[in-house]
């Protein structure tokens, strides 16, 4: 259960990043005595004070046999000589080797960190791009709206066309009906008139019209002969 | 700061008696003091980027002195 009323991360202290190690350790003189001892005695006895103290103590221990000289003293002296010679001769090489090991470790971890930072940067760029893309949603909606308006307009116009064609069909039908009726009336009337005229031509009239036609033809032929 | 919270090096000679009286000599107190001393030694001489021979040589010298002190009876025969 997480009590959300408790404030989190209120202090500056945190486990990471770990502060880096100091470059050099505490100063030590002759590899054995820390520098603080010399500084402690400097105000009262100057520079040679601790050395005098050391010599005096050594002679005191030797004379009072507090330090007994035995076979181990010789062994210690030989060992110390060898150790000091080895340190003086191979010290820098060992230090360089250790430094190289450290460098490699740090470089590997630094490479990881750089890769992670780069990956995160790329992710940030991608995210920004996605945000920019999302801004185009207005355009998308406008296009969709346009599409819908187009569909509605098309539908409306189609239906308008349907209405127009239907009405035209009905009106054409009426017109065709009227024409047909007129035509039929005309035909019937013409037939009736022809029939009655033909019936009214008596034989007498027929003879007269034929004689008249022959006379006309003779006249025409005379005028034609004259023209030629 | 107050007397009981200062370290040994920051205590003046005249206040030494009073300072010792504020120390806790219970097992936890002594253990804590030993741990603090060891960790401050390590931080100063061992956990550095470029430590020299000084870090272990002081420990070895202390060990030599201690062992001589323990075997003094045997030496002075």
């Amino acid at each position: 259960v997480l009590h959300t009323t408790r404030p989190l991360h209120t202090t500056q202290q945190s486990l990471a990043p770990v502060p880096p190690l100091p470059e050099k350790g505490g100063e030590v003189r002759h590899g054995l005595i820390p520098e603080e001892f010399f500084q402690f005695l400097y105000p009262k006895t100057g520079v040679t004070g601790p050395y005098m103290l050391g010599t005096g103590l050594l002679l005191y221990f030797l004379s009072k046999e507090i330090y007994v000289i035995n076979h181990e003293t010789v062994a210690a002296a030989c060992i110390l000589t060898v150790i000091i010679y080895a340190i003086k001769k191979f010290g820098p090489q060992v230090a360089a080797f250790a430094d190289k090991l450290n460098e490699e470790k740090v470089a590997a971890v630094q490479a990881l960190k750089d890769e992670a930072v780069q990956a995160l940067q790329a992710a940030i760029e991608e995210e920004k791009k996605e945000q920019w893309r999302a801004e185009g949603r207005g355009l998308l909606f406008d296009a969709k709206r346009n599409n819908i308006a187009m569909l509605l307009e098309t539908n409306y116009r189609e239906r308008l066309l349907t209405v127009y064609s239907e009405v035209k069909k009905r009106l054409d039908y009426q017109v065709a009906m009227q024409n047909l009726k007129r035509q039929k009336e005309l035909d019937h009337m013409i037939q009736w008139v022809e029939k009655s005229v033909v019936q009214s031509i008596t034989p007498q009239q027929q003879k007269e019209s034929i004689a008249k036609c022959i006379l006309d033809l003779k006249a025409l032929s005379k005028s034609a002969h004259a023209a030629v | 700061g107050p007397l009981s919270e200062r370290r040994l090096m920051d205590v003046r000679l005249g206040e030494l008696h009073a300072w010792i009286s504020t120390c806790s000599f219970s097992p936890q107190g002594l253990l804590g003091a030993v741990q603090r001393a060891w960790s401050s030694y390590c931080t100063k001489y061992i956990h550095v980027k470029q430590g020299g021979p000084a870090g272990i040589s002081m420990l070895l010298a202390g060990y030599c002195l201690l062992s001589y002190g323990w075997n003094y009876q045997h030496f002075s025969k």
Side-chain angles (χ1 to χ4, degrees):
Chain A
V1 175
L2 180 67
H3 298 278
T4 48
T5 52
R6 175 172 64 93
L8 301 167
H9 290 294
T10 44
T11 60
Q12 274 295 97
Q13 234 179 10
S14 65
L15 289 176
V18 175
L21 291 176
E23 283 289 328
K24 295 193 93 43
E27 280 287 315
V28 172
R29 222 191 269 207
H30 303 299
L32 275 181
I33 306 154
E35 193 68 30
E36 279 85 9
F37 186 65
F38 291 83
Q39 298 302 326
F40 179 62
L41 293 181
Y42 181 75
K44 294 284 193 243
T45 56
V47 180
T48 54
Y51 295 107
M52 288 291 117
L53 180 65
T55 321
L57 272 177
L58 187 64
L59 289 174
Y60 169 69
F61 288 147
L62 281 174
S63 65
K64 286 282 188 183
E65 289 262 310
I66 294 179
Y67 177 68
V68 179
I69 302 219
N70 46 10
H71 58 282
E72 286 191 14
T73 316
V74 181
C78 297
I79 292 174
L80 271 178
T81 328
V82 168
I83 286 179
I84 292 179
Y85 173 74
I87 287 181
K88 284 280 190 293
K89 185 113 190 251
F90 300 114
Q93 291 177 17
V94 170
F97 177 69
D99 279 344
K100 196 160 70 75
L101 284 180
N102 249 5
E103 281 288 310
E104 280 168 20
K105 276 192 231 170
V106 164
V109 174
Q110 182 76 14
L112 276 178
K113 177 180 156 192
D114 283 343
E115 264 182 58
V117 163
Q118 264 188 339
L120 287 174
Q121 288 271 19
I124 288 177
E125 292 301 323
E126 287 284 310
E127 181 62 33
K128 284 212 173 88
K129 196 147 192 174
E130 287 298 314
Q131 283 179 348
W132 169 80
R133 276 199 191 127
E135 280 175 17
R137 63 183 181 272
L139 291 171
L140 183 70
F141 295 154
D142 279 343
K144 285 194 187 238
R145 238 177 269 132
N146 276 355
N147 278 1
I148 289 175
M150 201 79 73
L151 279 174
L152 285 172
E153 186 79 18
T154 317
N155 204 359
Y156 172 68
R157 287 200 187 175
E158 273 176 1
R159 282 190 279 157
L160 214 56
L161 188 67
T162 319
V163 163
Y164 165 77
S165 54
E166 286 291 308
V167 167
K168 187 155 181 303
K169 273 200 293 195
R170 275 154 183 65
L171 289 176
D172 282 346
Y173 170 73
Q174 296 296 327
V175 164
M177 280 284 289
Q178 278 181 355
N179 283 355
L180 185 69
K181 197 161 172 190
R182 200 64 184 281
Q183 197 67 31
K184 283 277 175 264
E185 284 175 356
L186 268 173
D187 285 342
H188 185 251
M189 203 149 60
I190 290 173
Q191 247 183 359
W192 189 77
V193 166
E194 277 181 0
K195 203 163 77 171
S196 62
V197 164
V198 162
Q199 271 183 343
S200 72
I201 296 179
T202 58
Q204 175 66 20
Q205 273 182 322
Q206 212 169 353
K207 274 185 192 162
E208 277 181 15
S209 60
I210 285 177
K212 183 96 181 359
C213 286
I214 290 172
L215 277 173
D216 283 332
L217 275 170
K218 279 186 182 163
L220 271 171
S221 70
K222 273 192 190 149
S223 61
H225 272 299
V228 166
Chain B
L3 185 58
S4 59
E5 287 173 5
R6 272 188 266 171
R7 296 148 68 183
L8 179 56
M9 287 294 150
D10 302 330
V11 173
R12 281 184 283 254
L13 258 177
E15 303 166 349
L16 193 61
H17 203 228
W19 183 83
I20 288 190
S21 64
T22 62
C23 275
S24 64
F25 288 105
S26 61
Q28 290 98 324
L30 287 175
L31 199 63
V34 167
Q35 240 178 356
R36 262 178 286 133
W38 173 249
S39 87
S40 57
Y41 176 80
C42 277
T43 327
K44 185 149 184 212
Y45 292 106
I46 299 187
H47 296 321
V48 290
K49 275 191 198 161
Q50 286 172 348
I56 15 166
S57 73
M58 279 200 278
L59 285 174
L60 286 176
Y63 168 69
C64 290
L65 288 175
L66 258 184
S67 63
Y68 184 84
W70 282 333
N71 297 337
Y72 183 66
Q73 298 284 339
H74 173 73
F75 283 137
S76 62
K77 53 181 183 305

